[in-house]
Amino acid sequence: MTSLALIRAGLTRHGVAHAAAAIGVAVGAMVLAGALLLGSSLRQSLQASALGRLGWVDRVLVAERPFRAALADGLPGRVAPVLVARASVRVTGGSVLGKITLMGVDDRYFGADGPPTGWPGDGFWINEDLQNAIGNNAARLSITVGPAGSGPPRESLLGQAEDATAPWEAPVAGCLNGLMSHFSISEGVGPSRLVVVPLAKLQERLSQPGRANALLADGAAGLDSALSGAIQAEDHGLVLRTPSSRAADLFSRSTRMSGTARSDLFRRLARSEAMAAFGREGAVTAGRLEHYYSRDRRYILVESSGLYLSSARVASVERAASKAGVPSAPVLVHLANAIAETGGNGRQIPYSVVAATRPVLGLTPPITNLGDDGIAIVDWKDSPLNDLKSNSVLEVRYYPVESGGSPREAAPARFTVKAHIKQEGMAIDPAMAPEFPGITDRAEMGQWSAPFPIDLKRVASHDETYWRDYRAAPKAYISWEAGQRLWAGRFGDATSVRIGIPEHESAESTLERLRTALKQELVASESGLVFRDTRAIALAAVANGSDFGMLYLGFSSFIIMAALALTALLFRLGLERRATEIGLLKAIGYTDSHVRNLYLAEGAVVALVGSFIGALASAIYTPALLAYLSATWPDPSLGALLRFSLDPLAMALGGLSAFVAGVVAIIVSMRDLVKMQPLALLRGVTRLGESVGPARSRFGWLAAILTALAGAILAAGSPFLPPGEPRSGGFFTAGLLFLAAGLMALNALLKQVLQWPLLASSSWPLFRLAARNAARRPARSLVTAGLLASASFLLVAVEAFRREAHPPTDADALAVWAEMEVPVLVDPRTTEGRTALLDAIERTWRDDPAEASRRRSSASALLDRISLIPLRLAGEGEAGCLNLTRPDQPRVVAAPAGSLTVADLPVAARMGGDTKPLPALLDEVAPGAEAMVAGEASALTWILKKAPGDSLCINSSEDAVRVAAALHDGPFPSELLMGESAFLRMFPQTEGWRVVLVRAAPTDIPEVLALLRTAWADKGAEVVPLVDRVNKYLAVENSYLGTFQALGGLGLILGTAGLAIVLLRAVWERRGELALLAALGYRPGRITLLVLLESAALLLAGLGTGTIAALLAVIPHGGVSRSSLPGLALTLLACLVTGLLAGVLSAAMAQRARVIEALRQDA
Amino acid sequence: MTALRVQNVVKAFPALSGPVPVLAGIDLTMEPGEAMALTGPSGSGKSTLLHVLGALEKSDSGSIDLDGIDPSALNSDALADYRNSKIGFVFQDHHLLPQCTVLENVLSPGWAKKRSHTEAIALEARSRDLLHRVGLGSRLDHLPAALSGGERQRAAVARALLLKPRLVLADEPTGNLDRTSAFAVARLLLDMIAAENAMLIVVTHSMEIAGLFPRRYRMEDGRLAPA
Ligand SMILES: Nc1ncnc2c1ncn2[C@@H]1O[C@H](COP(=O)(O)OP(=O)(O)O)[C@@H](O)[C@H]1O
Ligand SMILES: [Mg+2]
């Protein structure tokens, strides 16, 4: 016979044994290829989803403030201007669906597809994702539109605190389809709920005619340079006003005025010396007005569409002016509620503008050397302060700039009178203060419509006269520095910059030069006027997302090793049955290596078949895993997103690795067998001496104890390791050490068991006999017990990580999370905020006044019992486990200083060196230092890949923050937390509070939910118990853990199968012994018991070692939650029962053979 | 007083060509302390007879009465107890448990039942005593693998006698032994039977060994014939 024939004969004759060994390799290949497939499927699903949300768009520009939609016109390639706003939809039945993007688009948005049929039609176009969320038959929608980011900062004194935006109701015009129907302007994957309307309609709705706040581009070459050439100062939110444009504005406004207002205006203009030269009242013409402005107001005014100019902007403008060779002066004005003499005299001027500036001849009044506390008073007719002596002390009372909605007067600022200014020149220029609709356009102070309280009783007739003549011209000046101290802040440092026009130059040519200089000085990124490589960012987010495939592979290694061990065991058992054959081959002169190669060739075929089948099976296994993930994932949209993708490379790689590992396992398994003496083999001896003699086990015990000790040290220390990978690593290493110690101890025990006496004086002789039987083949017993031990270890250890947040029991605990699309602008902790809330409740019941007042008073009582904590929110990227990608701009929340306590923020790990309480640390603002953030440990580790002490960038200007602490089951599972002042420094444009946390007693929670849902329905508020929110994120972890446990379960099956095979084999080998016992008069039950005891011993040793190792490792981490104990116990019990059944089965099979035949065969 | 009465025991084995009769009506009586040798050609049914007597095999018909018990009427548990308490087997191959020491092997029939501590202590004393008597007093803690064939067979004899059986059945116990050992084992069996007042049936091919026994039978055509 040739070798090939021998191999073929071996394969066919021992088909069953080989098939069993092949199953081991197949399981290994399936798990290995499955993990790889899982990883590639996840990656591809996420990538498909991320790219699906981009459509034709490669690059996106999102500006902080609206810019000219026309900016898109001159840019190369396809560029679509869009106006984007956050929105929420109120679904019939009253529930609110948030996180909706409302976009105004024109035809360009739809790309090559062109607009859908029926576009624009009448009403809202929605996409499939939104339709799925609201149900199919919503014919009309009521949409609450978030702010568009223009006008004065809404939290500033002059901001419109209360939203005038009534919900926008319109029919559904159609459902979008095609390439751009899943578009999302924000990063991420998964569904994108979209409402699309024609651009012009949204421009009108948001009062942004001709404007857009985002550009979508296909990334044609030259886009960036074309953009920077096309950007004008206006696109940065700057307003440039020349004398003639101001004159024209004024004249055109005058034409819209009523007769008296118009004549008042012209009387004032005529009263000024300069105008008088042009003639009498009524003779004011547009031309004359322009001439006057061009001569007596020779400056260009640079203002902001958002009222305030940031310090960077002021610096840019001033640099541009100096480049253009013209003088500039920044001005910061504020409304003083009173400029009052200190002391009992009580002389004061109500509601007057105070300006801070750097004096420049021709641009500002001549005020010099005011110093930090000097004030210059403009003298005007009947001014109560006219005869104030130098060095008298004045108080300026004012509302702080950042006091939207609920202004409280700041501590009065004291100034010393340093100068009186004559009422002439720039001192009577109303343009010192920017135009502010509702105030500067009113003819009388009595007609002011201000967003803050005004006490008109304090306004005297001479005040009205001044207003009528000079309107907002400041009545006092302070130094620029003093102004900065009082009124500069996150909104900006100045209200305008004045630019001089040189004597012999026209305003237009100065403007031209200024524009050119501004183009160089204004930084496009400060206004968000840069295209981001959205496609690249999306791909990077997916690529940097948590690599679940690798993680899964790590966990799978347990099972892969178990499967290989099983293969080795099975192959070995198969070979042992063929010992005589091996002996014969050797006896007739085959060399060791020849024999080895023969069997290796058989083994290779076995491994090849196994790994091939396993690789194929992974195409079933992986979809099952994906289905499990989708089913247990708390966000149902994952199911729609996850697609199994058949990756032949991953399968081949998995199969190949399993093949190689299988061959290695087979080589190891037969290593000593082929080296045995042919005579011994011929007699059927398959071991190099059955080690029944006295064995040294003292060293074994010592090693076990030392290993366990190392595990104990690591386990005790691992809670102090940084969270995430190091800590889990520590935990698992400790667990593995315990496991190894357990198996070493088992090994030592097996050696010792062989020497347990079986004498009459020793009890349980049958058990001792069974234990001795188990110890006779220590390698087999160890492999089986080891399989069971690692599977049960995995099962129990993973269970320890399963977590669930529990509803708070503390009356003071954070209990409710409300998140809205339209921010709360009035601090709900203030009386005004509370009133606004109660008013909203009352409004809901306006048809039933009695009910309304009843509701109001019960709401008021509830508000007395609870406390509301308003949180700022920025960033769109989920920084939590629900996000499978890595967010580029993670969600960040900020709580007001002092509002969160140590108890609210359960710290898992801190940055080294800090001992300050976490809330205090976050609130701290050291100038120039990195801001501190805290985040949920799991999100930091897996999603952001950061640990305490690391830095990360969280906004578009790439400002870095440092992770101060990782939280464990904290209230922010999906966002970073920072202090409010640091937050406002990084996100100065943030308006209001989009999240409100509520401290409430558990019994109050339902009422709180109802209250806030009603009161903030028009803000698109989603209000949920905090514990539900936290649990949603924990459910993600549990979902992952479930898949790991499925692996553990698979391991248990493998282990139990291994046990059954080992037992059957052992019983078959020992059928003669068992027959002898029968002949000696052992009852059948007693023989079964003997076999059963042996299997029980192995089962208990395996399961016990694994479980105890896992529990020991888990204890320092808080142990296994009580709720999971029954499930665990049940699983282990099921495994025990199965193993025992295998024992019974093998015992029964043993006794089916007739005693005499068995005895005879044994010979 | 007859302790063993075998009457007309018939046993046939099924084969493709129909039942093959092996025992064709065995009649035998024995008194306590009696020993007999059984000879006959290979395949004549000697072992089958021992197995039927030892309740390892059921007869087709006929009756066996050992101290008033007929094993053919017993269920499997009772059969086991019967073998345990009434029968002592010595096989041609010693069939010692390789994982147990000589002493443990001798004790092993004792583990078939739960026993009180005093009983167990008594059994252990008896095994030691038996092993001393068969000349293995110094090898109590040895494993079977460390013994010679004759020593193993002597240990098997000791094991067969542990529970004071009424009937000791030895199927070619000396078949694998050299002449000296064979004689030693045969004499040992005879001596021990005499001392325990039990009955003994020994199957042997050796006429020399058979000559040691007062009663000798030959198996022929499924029947016992005096030899
Ligand atoms: N279980 C069995 N099935 C069929 N035939 C058997 C069986 N056991 C023994 N025999 C047959 O019975 C006959 C007697 O066997 P046995 O009692 O072993 O003979 P001896 O011990 O005298 O050599 C033989 O022909 C043998 O083939
Ligand atoms: Mg025979």
Side-chain angles (χ1 to χ4, degrees):
Chain A
M1 269 207 294
T2 63
S3 298
L4 209 62
L6 266 179
I7 293 165
R8 198 165 48 223
L11 283 170
T12 45
R13 276 210 46 188
H14 302 280
V16 178
H18 285 331
I23 287 172
V25 181
V27 169
M30 178 183 84
V31 172
L32 193 62
L36 295 175
L37 269 185
L38 184 67
S40 77
S41 291
L42 275 175
R43 233 184 344 269
Q44 291 195 27
S45 302
L46 295 176
Q47 187 165 321
S49 171
L51 295 183
R53 284 165 51 128
L54 286 179
W56 58 264
V57 178
D58 276 342
R59 306 187 64 193
V60 174
L61 174 157
V62 181
E64 301 206 324
R65 295 183 163 270
F67 52 83
R68 296 168 304 123
L71 190 57
D73 297 345
L75 301 180
R78 175 176 289 134
V79 181
V82 293
L83 192 55
V84 189
R86 279 195 309 274
S88 62
V89 165
R90 180 172 268 250
V91 189
T92 26
S95 68
V96 172
L97 202 63
K99 300 205 164 70
I100 288 165
T101 306
L102 173 63
M103 291 206 296
V105 306
D106 61 17
D107 285 2
R108 283 172 280 186
Y109 172 79
F110 300 102
D113 284 2
T117 42
W119 174 266
D122 184 29
F124 301 125
W125 287 78
I126 62 176
N127 71 347
E128 202 185 304
D129 293 334
L130 179 57
Q131 193 165 47
N132 290 341
I134 60 179
N136 268 341
N137 39 17
R140 282 185 78 76
L141 292 183
S142 168
I143 295 187
T144 301
V145 188
S150 72
R154 301 209 296 174
E155 277 181 73
S156 70
L157 182 60
L158 293 171
Q160 285 294 326
E162 246 334 287
D163 260 292
T165 51
W168 186 5
E169 292 207 21
V172 173
C175 192
L176 296 170
N177 48 36
L179 193 58
M180 292 298 279
S181 60
H182 295 287
F183 181 77
S184 172
I185 197 116
S186 56
E187 54 175 310
V189 294
S192 151
R193 298 165 179 171
L194 208 55
V195 177
V196 168
V197 294
L199 179 60
K201 244 188 207 170
L202 189 58
Q203 285 171 337
E204 187 196 325
R205 178 83 194 178
L206 297 176
S207 316
Q208 299 292 329
R211 308 213 146 232
N213 57 9
L215 293 179
L216 317 179
D218 63 357
L223 183 65
D224 294 315
S225 59
L227 176 72
S228 58
I231 291 177
Q232 294 182 8
E234 281 76 4
D235 297 320
H236 285 281
L238 294 184
V239 181
L240 272 54
R241 306 176 69 197
T242 58
S244 49
S245 73
R246 294 200 304 275
D249 282 353
L250 183 60
F251 193 81
S252 83
R253 202 169 65 212
S254 75
T255 59
R256 291 196 304 268
M257 284 178 173
S258 67
T260 39
R262 186 181 158 89
S263 58
D264 272 351
L265 172 67
F266 288 158
R267 190 167 54 241
R268 172 174 70 75
L269 289 169
R271 196 173 292 165
S272 98
E273 275 173 66
M275 276 301 280
F278 294 105
R280 301 182 320 280
E281 166 190 338
V284 174
T285 64
R288 282 182 175 179
L289 205 52
E290 192 188 335
H291 186 84
Y292 163 68
Y293 265 80
S294 305
R295 202 193 61 196
D296 281 25
R297 303 270 191 260
R298 271 185 76 76
Y299 59 87
I300 294 168
L301 203 52
V302 179
E303 291 177 342
S304 161
S305 66
L307 196 61
Y308 291 98
L309 292 162
S310 71
S311 58
R313 210 35 66 73
V314 171
S316 301
V317 173
E318 289 210 280
R319 268 200 310 277
S322 91
K323 238 184 201 165
V326 290
S328 65
V331 179
L332 173 60
V333 298
H334 196 64
L335 185 74
N337 294 342
I339 304 173
E341 195 184 2
T342 52
N345 230 330
R347 284 188 286 177
Q348 56 160 280
I349 312 173
Y351 304 117
S352 49
V353 173
V354 175
T357 183
R358 283 200 204 96
V360 172
L361 193 64
L363 295 178
T364 66
I367 38 156
T368 44
N369 301 327
L370 290 180
D372 201 39
D373 67 342
I375 191 166
I377 307 289
V378 176
D379 283 335
W380 45 278
K381 189 169 177 300
D382 300 332
S383 164
L385 306 178
N386 270 351
D387 51 354
L388 216 59
K389 288 193 191 60
S390 262
N391 292 330
S392 339
V393 175
L394 285 182
E395 250 180 26
V396 172
R397 290 191 212 122
Y398 63 97
Y399 292 127
V401 172
E402 294 179 39
S403 57
S406 54
R408 298 266 179 290
E409 255 184 22
R414 286 170 170 254
F415 289 97
T416 315
V417 177
K418 285 280 167 70
H420 286 263
I421 303 175
K422 275 177 75 182
Q423 206 183 7
E424 61 180 23
M426 291 300 153
I428 55 166
D429 185 1
M432 278 292 169
E435 292 294 339
F436 190 82
I439 296 184
T440 57
D441 56 355
R442 299 297 158 95
E444 287 173 29
M445 292 175 81
Q447 294 168 358
W448 280 7
S449 144
F452 47 86
I454 289 185
D455 182 4
L456 284 175
K457 288 200 291 287
R458 291 170 49 213
V459 177
S461 68
H462 51 259
D463 298 318
E464 280 289 10
T465 310
Y466 181 95
W467 181 260
R468 204 175 56 227
D469 292 347
Y470 306 109
R471 284 192 301 152
K475 291 176 186 157
Y477 285 84
I478 58 175
S479 70
W480 173 251
E481 289 71 24
Q484 292 296 298
R485 185 162 45 81
L486 298 186
W487 302 314
R490 69 170 163 122
F491 304 125
D493 291 357
T495 45
S496 63
V497 179
R498 306 184 141 227
I499 312 282
I501 299 168
E503 199 68 52
H504 301 294
E505 193 179 12
S506 74
E508 280 63 39
S509 101
T510 309
L511 180 66
E512 208 44 55
R513 291 194 298 121
L514 182 65
R515 278 189 182 285
T516 313
L518 275 175
K519 191 157 269 180
Q520 286 161 19
E521 292 300 333
L522 288 171
V523 181
S525 65
E526 274 172 18
S527 310
L529 291 174
V530 281
F531 279 105
R532 283 154 54 85
D533 286 321
T534 314
R535 189 169 293 265
I537 291 171
L539 290 176
V542 172
N544 294 329
S546 44
D547 194 341
F548 184 60
M550 280 333 257
L551 193 65
Y552 199 72
L553 192 62
F555 274 91
S556 301
S557 58
F558 272 98
I559 299 314
I560 294 166
M561 264 143 68
L564 290 176
L566 194 61
T567 297
L569 186 66
L570 292 174
F571 195 79
R572 167 74 183 220
L573 291 180
L575 279 192
E576 284 180 359
R577 294 182 64 163
R578 297 160 68 186
T580 41
E581 177 188 313
I582 304 172
L584 194 69
L585 286 175
K586 290 183 73 162
I588 62 176
Y590 278 61
T591 61
D592 277 8
S593 64
H594 197 163
V595 171
R596 186 178 45 240
N597 289 345
L598 267 180
Y599 291 101
L600 184 57
E602 277 190 50
V605 173
V606 166
L608 190 68
V609 170
S611 55
F612 185 73
I613 292 172
L616 289 184
S618 68
I620 301 167
Y621 168 76
T622 308
L625 276 179
L626 285 173
Y628 177 85
L629 265 183
S630 309
T632 55
W633 199 266
D635 182 355
S637 65
L638 187 84
L641 182 139
L642 284 189
R643 294 262 176 285
F644 171 66
S645 48
L646 198 77
D647 183 349
L649 193 71
M651 287 167 74
L653 197 65
L656 191 71
S657 319
F659 169 72
V660 171
V663 167
V664 170
I666 281 170
I667 292 176
V668 170
S669 77
M670 61 185 204
R671 205 184 35 202
D672 58 329
L673 195 61
V674 293
K675 288 196 194 126
M676 287 183 57
Q677 290 300 313
L679 274 181
L681 286 166
L682 279 170
R683 280 203 313 269
V685 177
T686 52
R687 297 189 58 208
L688 293 168
E690 256 184 49
S691 67
V692 278
R696 304 151 293 126
S697 59
R698 206 176 302 135
F699 175 75
W701 283 112
L702 190 68
I705 287 167
L706 286 179
T707 311
L709 212 61
I713 291 168
L714 194 59
S718 65
F720 305 103
L721 288 172
E725 274 146 345
R727 191 180 297 175
S728 326
F731 164 81
F732 268 103
T733 315
L736 285 179
L737 285 173
F738 284 131
L739 196 63
L743 292 177
M744 284 174 178
L746 187 62
N747 190 26
L749 185 68
L750 284 175
K751 283 183 183 160
Q752 229 164 39
V753 159
L754 276 177
Q755 297 169 68
W756 280 0
L758 271 163
L759 300 181
S761 48
S762 50
S763 43
W764 292 87
L766 204 66
F767 171 74
R768 285 167 179 254
L769 185 60
R772 188 176 291 184
N773 283 341
R776 283 166 75 185
R777 296 281 194 170
R780 279 185 207 174
S781 298
L782 267 181
V783 169
T784 359
L787 276 179
L788 291 168
S790 23
S792 52
F793 172 78
L794 196 61
L795 214 60
V796 176
V798 166
E799 188 61 44
F801 284 96
R802 223 172 242 283
R803 285 185 297 133
E804 193 182 334
H806 297 289
T809 48
D810 202 350
D812 232 16
L814 299 172
V816 172
W817 173 277
E819 183 173 340
M820 44 218 116
E821 302 304 324
V822 178
V824 173
L825 290 165
V826 187
D827 188 338
R829 293 169 300 176
T830 60
T831 326
E832 288 82 357
R834 184 191 168 105
T835 309
L837 244 170
L838 295 175
D839 287 350
I841 293 289
E842 209 172 325
R843 264 202 308 280
T844 325
W845 300 92
R846 68 183 142 240
D847 300 336
D848 182 353
E851 182 67 12
S853 82
R854 208 184 60 73
R855 295 264 172 177
R856 187 185 179 107
S857 61
S858 80
S860 173
L862 177 63
L863 287 175
D864 287 339
R865 295 196 299 272
I866 64 177
S867 59
L868 305 177
I869 304 170
L871 304 183
R872 312 256 181 200
L873 172 65
E876 300 280 347
E878 282 258 2
C881 294
L882 273 173
N883 194 350
L884 291 166
T885 62
R886 182 179 182 168
D888 188 51
Q889 291 180 13
R891 278 160 62 95
V892 183
V893 291
S899 60
L900 293 180
T901 66
V902 173
D904 294 331
L905 304 177
V907 171
R910 291 285 298 264
M911 189 172 83
D914 260 311
T915 48
K916 200 173 269 183
L918 183 58
L921 181 72
L922 295 177
D923 287 339
E924 199 172 69
V925 262
E930 276 175 321
M932 295 292 179
V933 297
E936 186 64 28
S938 56
L940 284 175
T941 308
W942 303 112
I943 311 302
L944 296 171
K945 311 231 160 78
K946 297 291 172 192
D950 291 350
S951 288
L952 75 160
C953 294
I954 53 170
N955 64 2
S956 53
S957 6
E958 310 280 299
D959 293 326
V961 293
R962 191 175 288 279
V963 179
L967 306 179
H968 183 79
D969 292 353
F972 308 109
S974 136
E975 36 278 309
L976 296 173
L977 170 70
M978 61 191 297
E980 191 172 38
S981 42
F983 178 95
L984 290 175
R985 212 166 51 192
M986 301 188 80
F987 304 98
Q989 306 288 332
T990 309
E991 299 189 321
W993 295 273
R994 281 183 54 209
V995 172
V996 174
L997 271 175
V998 184
R999 277 186 212 287
T1003 46
D1004 281 334
I1005 291 177
E1007 220 184 317
V1008 171
L1009 295 176
L1011 171 75
L1012 298 185
R1013 279 173 187 156
T1014 312
W1016 288 334
D1018 57 352
K1019 296 184 181 299
E1022 285 188 292
V1023 189
V1024 292
L1026 188 61
V1027 65
D1028 289 2
R1029 186 167 190 269
V1030 172
N1031 268 334
K1032 190 170 163 183
Y1033 289 87
L1034 290 182
V1036 174
E1037 292 178 41
N1038 293 343
S1039 178
Y1040 282 139
L1041 296 180
T1043 61
F1044 298 149
Q1045 280 186 319
L1047 278 177
L1050 193 61
L1052 275 189
I1053 293 173
L1054 279 182
T1056 314
L1059 178 77
I1061 290 167
V1062 163
L1063 277 178
L1064 283 171
R1065 171 74 196 180
V1067 163
W1068 182 84
E1069 281 175 355
R1070 285 190 243 131
R1071 63 201 186 286
E1073 275 170 52
L1074 297 178
L1076 172 72
L1077 296 182
L1080 292 181
Y1082 282 57
R1083 290 179 173 193
R1086 197 114 172 122
I1087 295 174
T1088 305
L1089 184 64
L1090 182 69
V1091 176
L1092 219 53
L1093 281 174
E1094 186 179 344
S1095 63
L1098 284 179
L1099 271 169
L1100 288 175
L1103 298 180
T1105 304
T1107 308
I1108 290 169
L1111 288 178
L1112 283 179
V1114 159
I1115 285 167
H1117 296 264
V1120 179
S1121 79
R1122 190 155 295 174
S1123 64
S1124 60
L1125 279 180
L1128 265 186
L1130 215 66
T1131 314
L1132 294 176
L1133 196 71
C1135 180
L1136 195 66
V1137 169
T1138 319
L1140 289 179
L1141 276 179
V1144 172
L1145 184 74
S1146 45
M1149 281 175 73
Q1151 292 181 59
R1152 257 226 317 262
R1154 301 176 35 168
V1155 175
I1156 296 146
E1157 282 160 25
L1159 277 173
R1160 191 174 287 142
Q1161 254 164 359
D1162 199 41
Chain B
M1 192 195 76
T2 303
L4 172 70
R5 183 187 304 277
V6 179
Q7 283 178 311
N8 199 26
V9 163
V10 172
K11 172 85 185 166
F13 285 111
L16 284 177
S17 52
V20 177
V22 178
L23 303 181
I26 302 285
D27 292 303
L28 176 70
T29 53
M30 280 184 97
E31 307 298 328
E34 257 194 314
M36 64 173 264
L38 186 58
T39 56
S42 181
S44 57
K46 308 182 292 292
S47 298
T48 305
L49 177 60
L50 291 205
H51 293 155
V52 169
L53 294 178
L56 290 172
E57 200 92 72
K58 270 189 165 33
S59 62
D60 296 338
S61 65
S63 72
I64 299 167
D65 179 344
L66 179 62
D67 286 347
I69 301 171
D70 183 356
S72 59
L74 300 177
N75 66 17
S76 62
D77 277 355
L79 271 181
D81 294 346
Y82 169 85
R83 285 197 294 270
N84 194 233
S85 54
K86 300 287 181 197
I87 307 289
F89 259 114
V90 181
F91 302 97
Q92 178 174 11
D93 277 291
H94 52 85
H95 288 309
L96 295 173
L97 294 172
Q99 72 270 37
C100 293
T101 62
V102 170
L103 179 59
E104 287 164 350
N105 263 296
V106 173
L107 257 175
S108 60
W111 306 327
K113 276 202 194 82
K114 265 217 183 96
R115 284 176 207 279
S116 74
H117 189 65
T118 31
E119 263 182 307
I121 295 287
L123 275 184
E124 190 183 328
R126 179 166 163 82
S127 359
R128 287 176 190 278
D129 176 50
L130 282 170
L131 280 168
H132 279 289
R133 277 156 62 190
V134 301
L136 292 173
S138 57
R139 334 270 332 231
L140 300 184
D141 291 332
H142 288 221
L143 289 172
L147 301 185
S148 74
E151 286 171 325
R152 289 178 200 167
Q153 209 53 295
R154 281 188 272 155
V157 169
R159 177 178 66 191
L161 294 172
L162 176 77
L163 296 176
K164 303 192 174 157
R166 293 295 287 152
L167 176 62
V168 174
L169 302 168
D171 195 351
E172 302 186 42
T174 58
N176 290 343
L177 300 182
D178 59 87
R179 193 171 172 276
T180 327
S181 302
F183 268 89
V185 168
R187 288 218 178 82
L188 176 67
L189 271 168
L190 280 167
D191 290 352
M192 304 285 283
I193 289 307
E196 305 273 336
N197 202 28
M199 297 170 280
L200 169 68
I201 303 177
V202 172
V203 172
T204 177
H205 282 294
S206 155
M207 293 322 277
E208 266 184 304
I209 298 270
L212 296 174
F213 287 76
R215 285 177 74 180
R216 289 186 294 276
Y217 286 93
R218 192 176 157 75
M219 184 71 98
E220 251 167 25
D221 302 327
R223 286 195 173 75
L224 291 181

